[in-house]
Amino acid sequence: MTDLPRLRARAARVSFLIFLSFFAAIACRAASIRGIVTDTSGAKVTGATISLLNQSGVVATAVSGPDGSYQVTTGVESRFYLVVSARTFRQMATPGFYAGRFDSVERNLVLEPEWARESIVVTATGTPTPQSQTSAATSVLQPLDLAQRNDLVSALRLMPGTFVAQTGQRGAQSSLFIRGGDSDSNMILMDGISVGDLGGRFDFGPLSTTAVESAEVYRGPNSSLYGADAASGVVSLTTPHGTTSFPSFLFHGDAGSFASSQEDLEVAGAHRKLDYLGAFSWYQTANDLPNDEFHVATAAGNFGWQPSGRTQVRGTVHYGVAGTGVPNAWQFYHVADNATQKDQDLYLSSSIDNQTTADFHNTVRYGLARKREQYNLWSQSGSGTFDAYGDSYGNVVTITGANGYSVTGQALLDYAGTYPQGHQLVSNRDELVYQGDYDFTPHLVGMIGFQYEDERGAEPGSSYYTPVERTNYDYRASVHGDFKNRFFYTLGGDLEHYSLFGTQTSPRAGFSAYLLRPREGIFSGTRLLFNFGDAVREPSLTDQFYSLYNFLASNGGQSTIQQLHITPLAAPTTRTYEGGVEQAFFSKRLVFRTSFFHNEFGRQIEYVGLNLIPQLLPNLTQEQQNQLEQFLQANGAYEQSLNTEAYRALGVETTVEGGIRSSIFLRGGYTYLDAVVQRSFSNDDVALLGPVPTSNGIPVGVYSPLQGARPFRRPPHTGFFTASYSHSRLTALFTAAFASRSDDSDFLGGSDINFGNSLLLPNRNLDYGYAKLDAGGNFQLLSWISVYGQLDNLTNNQHIAPIGYVNLPVGVRTGLRLQWGKGSGR
């Protein structure tokens, strides 16, 4: 018979072992952070040191194995970030993330070369992918590139294949042209949602850089991922997150030339499952022309919540209110219009990200954009010269183009009528986006997506045009992957159904292959690139309102429709082919990229000038035509739209970048663009409107380029150079943007004192070339205070804006940056 006390002791030991096993099992289920460490080409990195940190310091460390994998565990529930270092690579810190006690978090880490900069980009594939694993032409403006800027206009000029035209000074309308495409053909994203006007138009003039951390610029059509409007490129802006475990306050204020001043306050931080950032800024300037004051107030926020290591809920908001004078083309009149433009823009994004399994990731995003633009011409301006109809004219001026031709006279400034006059554009969009991506293998990722848009637009105050509503659907699918980290590919397409133009498909394919794998040595990596893509653009709200077809059909112009074969408004199209090579030298200390692209733009929208529209209607007297002009102009109809232009744009794009040790980084680029118009309404209207106007015996496209000429405002030669230095307490940045002469029009057809064309200039090389040089820097006086300064347009170049418009001369700003807390919220 067994001794009872001995049995009880044995039972107690068994219970204790079970108790220990239970808590050991809990310990085994401590938070686990794991993943794979690779370089930008996808090759595994062995021996990298991964440190897991929270507000208390280093919690755990690990070293990546032969397959690049790592795993760190902790029983602490906290907000963490990883710091990764390896020989010949730049040390990297990940964004902060929350991990609960039993969470399993996947964090794959991509290390950049020590001397080069290769960012993680999203616009190329729809998921975060190293630049070296994509074939697409994508560049990123980093926080340092934007640190001294209060707008994006100058920064966007520091990209290959891009050109920015700003029709005036600070706050004036600013348009981005990518690889010869139209300025309405770019998708602009803010935290993943579309923020352009209906149809793609986006004015960068009133947009502040407050709470904009980076700007990713994709050059090429990408409707397969982003739907209509991504016909020439994509610009993706992101809002920074709060990262510090304590509230951080960052304030900077400055003053400068032209009575300019700026104040910017940012509060950010993170606590356990929450992170937050709030920002507000005010900027104002008098500019350098009469009636040209500009101001903008911007408020922004970014709020995140992570209920677990696998799920994140985030919301961002940007709200900007801007007002600017619109003095018109000063060099044509030497009289300023008494006009203003006001903008109120609200962008809101809310999303749920869920890592459902280790291989399956889902995102649902809701986006809201509310845009209001009001233009008002408060009174009739002029030099005191009026014609028989009461129209006013500017002073007698001599206009000289960059091509050497000049004209002298008085140009029509304002029509007679009742003032104030004006119009308002309202552009509202609500969108719902789903995206799911699945890692079939470490070398193959599939993605599906769906987007729904409800778009509403109107022009309040107009008695001529009515509100519109569009309902759009977009279904997407793509795959991207690699073979042995040597051959990378992206294949995808979408099915779009837009209420304005019907159903369209947009395929896309991209390939890149390493002929020489990245390695140490003089020749340290050779990669070939190829891209193909189709895209469409949704006509803008203005295009739809001012459709020439609708106008003629509603006003007895059926014979003109038949004679000129004018059709209802359709979606402009784009097709591109691109091939290139990337070569790294000296262990990737220097990287050279060049590519050839060929774009075909079809069914592009042209504009018929206001003075020609009455002539398109039969049986109108001169007086009736003038009355119709005044009526249209009072309702904002300065021109009418139709799908009659086609052109091709081919070119070569080249960039070189590299670092000198860890403190100096140099980057430069050059783009040659050969764009030629293949069809134009200006050439088709001869039978009805008479011969094409001439200047000095040279045919002139007044409102759009002639067949065989270049599209307006696309210079054949553009380039840039940047040099940054960052060491110890000093940061400095020098930038230069270059452009050759470009074709344009002064748009003064029928605008001289006799309603004639004597003020027209030849289109060829009408806009001046320029070099815009800027420099700025920041010096840390103490841990909590620094002084900064910015010099813009160092050479005082007066020909950066298109002909007729005056850009700002040399300017200077200087200010202080104050920081409270243990660190910055960025």
Side-chain angles (χ1 to χ4, degrees):
M1 184 174 177
T2 306
D3 185 38
L4 185 59
R6 186 177 299 172
L7 287 173
R8 288 176 176 173
R10 183 178 297 172
R13 285 195 300 272
V14 171
S15 298
F16 181 69
L17 291 173
I18 294 173
F19 180 79
L20 288 179
S21 299
F22 173 76
F23 278 97
I26 293 178
C28 290
R29 291 190 62 200
S32 170
I33 297 91
R34 62 190 178 200
I36 299 175
V37 184
T38 64
D39 64 15
T40 54
S41 71
K44 307 300 188 291
V45 176
T46 301
T49 300
I50 300 96
S51 299
L52 180 69
L53 295 89
N54 64 7
Q55 68 272 20
S56 301
V58 177
V59 175
T61 60
V63 177
S64 61
D67 60 352
S69 64
Y70 75 93
Q71 180 172 334
V72 289
T73 59
T74 176
V76 178
E77 178 179 333
S78 182
R79 177 169 289 274
F80 301 100
Y81 64 97
L82 297 169
V83 174
V84 191
S85 58
R87 191 180 68 85
T88 73
F89 293 97
R90 183 182 293 116
Q91 188 180 75
M92 183 192 76
T94 68
F97 59 91
Y98 168 80
R101 187 165 297 173
F102 306 124
D103 283 340
S104 178
V105 179
E106 296 284 335
R107 285 291 184 273
N108 292 327
L109 308 171
V110 181
L111 298 180
E112 292 182 337
E114 187 174 5
W115 310 106
R117 293 183 181 177
E118 294 181 338
S119 302
I120 304 296
V121 296
V122 177
T123 54
T125 62
T127 60
T129 307
Q131 282 176 300
S132 292
Q133 297 182 31
T134 73
S135 59
T138 311
S139 300
V140 180
L141 291 170
Q142 305 284 359
L144 180 60
D145 299 311
L146 303 176
Q148 302 295 111
R149 305 289 185 184
N150 46 35
D151 69 357
L152 282 169
V153 174
S154 293
L156 287 171
R157 292 187 172 112
L158 307 176
M159 289 280 173
T162 63
F163 179 74
V164 181
Q166 185 168 32
T167 52
Q169 302 186 352
R170 182 69 172 89
Q173 182 175 334
S174 303
S175 304
L176 174 66
F177 302 86
I178 297 180
R179 288 186 169 181
D182 190 79
S183 62
D184 289 353
S185 299
N186 308 312
M187 173 69 74
I188 312 299
L189 304 172
M190 179 73 77
D191 298 311
I193 69 162
S194 176
V195 297
D197 293 350
L198 273 62
R201 175 182 175 270
F202 189 85
D203 181 4
F204 286 93
L207 179 66
S208 167
T209 56
T210 298
V212 175
E213 182 178 42
S214 64
E216 186 176 317
V217 181
Y218 176 100
R219 303 181 300 282
N222 204 351
S223 287
S224 64
L225 278 178
Y226 299 101
D229 300 343
S232 291
V234 180
V235 179
S236 180
L237 310 175
T238 58
T239 306
H241 298 182
T243 58
T244 57
S245 58
F246 40 80
S248 296
F249 299 86
L250 179 65
F251 171 82
H252 70 262
D254 60 60
S257 309
F258 319 113
S260 67
S261 64
Q262 178 174 352
E263 297 80 35
D264 195 317
L265 176 64
E266 182 180 291
V267 181
H271 179 69
R272 293 176 62 81
K273 300 180 179 183
L274 299 174
D275 66 79
Y276 55 89
L277 178 141
F280 177 80
S281 71
W282 169 264
Y283 175 83
Q284 64 181 13
T285 180
N287 280 320
D288 194 40
L289 290 175
N291 300 341
D292 200 18
E293 295 84 0
F294 170 72
H295 67 264
V296 58
T298 304
N302 189 342
F303 307 94
W305 176 55
Q306 287 186 265
S308 70
R310 291 180 175 269
T311 303
Q312 177 176 255
V313 180
R314 182 161 300 281
T316 65
V317 60
H318 284 254
Y319 181 56
V321 178
T324 184
V326 187
N328 210 323
W330 173 263
Q331 292 177 332
F332 293 166
Y333 309 104
H334 286 188
V335 175
D337 256 338
N338 180 21
T340 60
Q341 178 179 312
K342 298 180 179 180
D343 294 85
Q344 303 90 42
D345 299 326
L346 172 65
Y347 312 133
L348 185 147
S349 171
S350 58
S351 63
I352 301 176
D353 284 276
N354 177 255
Q355 190 71 45
T356 310
T357 69
D359 299 318
F360 190 31
H361 173 259
N362 292 276
T363 301
V364 178
R365 176 177 289 109
Y366 165 73
L368 174 149
R370 300 288 185 268
K371 307 190 71 173
R372 306 289 185 274
E373 178 186 300
Q374 302 99 22
Y375 171 82
N376 287 285
L377 184 59
W378 298 104
S379 61
Q380 188 175 15
S381 301
S383 62
T385 301
F386 297 88
D387 61 26
Y389 302 100
D391 304 331
S392 61
Y393 289 76
N395 289 319
V396 176
V397 298
T398 297
I399 306 168
T400 303
N403 51 22
Y405 291 96
S406 63
V407 292
T408 300
Q410 289 178 277
L412 173 64
L413 180 59
D414 292 332
Y415 288 99
T418 303
Y419 287 84
Q421 296 179 357
H423 63 275
Q424 179 182 177
L425 285 177
V426 176
S427 185
N428 296 333
R429 180 187 295 106
D430 292 273
E431 64 182 59
L432 182 66
V433 182
Y434 165 75
Q435 178 176 308
D437 48 89
Y438 187 82
D439 296 347
F440 292 98
T441 73
H443 301 282
L444 176 63
V445 179
M447 190 196 76
I448 58 172
F450 168 77
Q451 178 168 321
Y452 165 78
E453 290 182 337
D454 179 30
E455 299 180 324
R456 297 155 327 267
E459 191 176 16
S462 169
S463 61
Y464 193 68
Y465 300 103
T466 57
V468 299
E469 183 167 2
R470 304 171 180 175
T471 302
N472 307 324
Y473 302 88
D474 198 324
Y475 306 86
R476 306 161 184 166
S478 66
V479 293
H480 64 92
D482 68 272
F483 293 107
K484 300 184 180 299
N485 299 121
R486 195 178 191 109
F487 178 81
F488 301 90
Y489 59 91
T490 299
L491 300 170
D494 74 332
L495 177 66
E496 308 154 7
H497 180 77
Y498 281 70
S499 59
L500 187 60
F501 61 81
T503 302
Q504 182 86 29
T505 58
S506 299
R508 176 174 168 260
F511 308 96
S512 68
Y514 277 101
L515 298 184
L516 179 65
R517 293 287 297 272
R519 62 179 184 178
E520 300 290 322
I522 297 177
F523 297 97
S524 46
T526 304
R527 191 163 65 104
L528 298 181
L529 315 170
F530 172 77
N531 286 294
F532 164 80
D534 279 350
V536 295
R537 174 171 79 81
E538 183 183 29
S540 71
L541 196 64
T542 304
D543 295 337
Q544 184 176 358
F545 282 154
Y546 304 145
S547 164
L548 180 60
Y549 178 89
N550 292 343
F551 173 78
L552 293 175
S554 303
N555 291 277
Q558 284 78 9
S559 61
T560 305
I561 290 175
Q562 295 175 2
Q563 186 171 354
L564 295 181
H565 308 291
I566 297 172
T567 60
L569 209 60
T573 63
T574 305
R575 172 167 290 181
T576 188
Y577 300 90
E578 178 185 5
V581 62
E582 176 184 282
Q583 178 65 58
F585 300 94
F586 309 112
S587 303
K588 298 205 80 169
R589 286 173 170 82
L590 184 70
V591 179
F592 170 84
R593 300 182 184 94
T594 187
S595 61
F596 170 82
F597 59 87
H598 183 113
N599 296 330
E600 288 285 349
F601 299 95
R603 294 199 311 237
Q604 298 298 297
I605 294 176
E606 289 186 283
Y607 302 96
V608 177
L610 182 62
N611 66 314
L612 297 181
I613 292 172
Q615 301 176 50
L616 297 176
L617 297 176
N619 304 319
L620 288 184
T621 66
Q622 179 64 47
E623 184 177 357
Q624 289 172 326
Q625 290 182 10
N626 190 70
Q627 290 173 352
L628 180 57
E629 273 189 77
Q630 293 179 13
F631 171 75
L632 294 173
Q633 191 251 359
N635 286 276
Y638 291 93
E639 51 197 8
Q640 300 278 293
S641 57
L642 68 170
N643 295 97
T644 49
E645 186 180 57
Y647 65 96
R648 64 110 172 112
L650 56 86
V652 177
E653 189 179 277
T654 301
T655 60
V656 180
E657 61 182 48
I660 302 175
R661 307 193 68 83
S662 59
S663 56
I664 298 176
F665 183 72
L666 307 174
R667 185 170 66 95
Y670 164 76
T671 300
Y672 169 71
L673 177 68
D674 179 18
V676 177
V677 174
Q678 297 161 320
R679 181 170 179 245
S680 170
F681 176 80
S682 297
N683 290 101
D684 291 344
D685 66 2
V686 174
L688 184 66
L689 300 178
V692 173
T694 62
S695 173
N696 293 279
I698 302 172
V700 175
V702 181
Y703 303 102
S704 59
L706 299 177
Q707 186 172 319
R710 301 176 189 143
F712 291 163
R713 298 180 183 176
R714 275 76 146 186
H717 306 279
T718 55
F720 68 93
F721 173 76
T722 70
S724 62
Y725 174 83
S726 182
H727 181 69
S728 185
R729 296 192 294 175
L730 176 64
T731 300
L733 181 66
F734 171 81
T735 65
F738 309 91
S740 66
R741 296 180 299 175
S742 58
D743 289 12
D744 205 346
S745 173
D746 59 19
F747 301 98
L748 295 177
S751 295
D752 65 18
I753 198 71
N754 299 310
F755 303 103
N757 297 319
S758 65
L759 295 179
L760 289 179
L761 288 168
N763 303 125
R764 190 71 168 184
N765 292 330
L766 186 59
D767 286 344
Y768 287 84
Y770 66 82
K772 185 177 187 294
L773 311 182
D774 305 327
N778 181 86
F779 184 76
Q780 197 77 33
L781 297 174
L782 299 170
S783 61
W784 57 276
I785 184 171
S786 61
V787 60
Y788 65 91
Q790 179 73 23
L791 288 167
D792 290 322
N793 195 10
L794 294 173
T795 59
N796 199 34
N797 193 321
Q798 297 293 286
H799 294 296
I800 297 172
I803 189 169
Y805 296 92
V806 180
N807 57 272
L808 282 172
V810 62
V812 60
R813 293 187 295 118
T814 184
L816 293 176
R817 182 174 283 110
L818 308 177
Q819 182 175 294
W820 294 272
K822 300 178 183 178
S824 169
R826 284 186 181 270

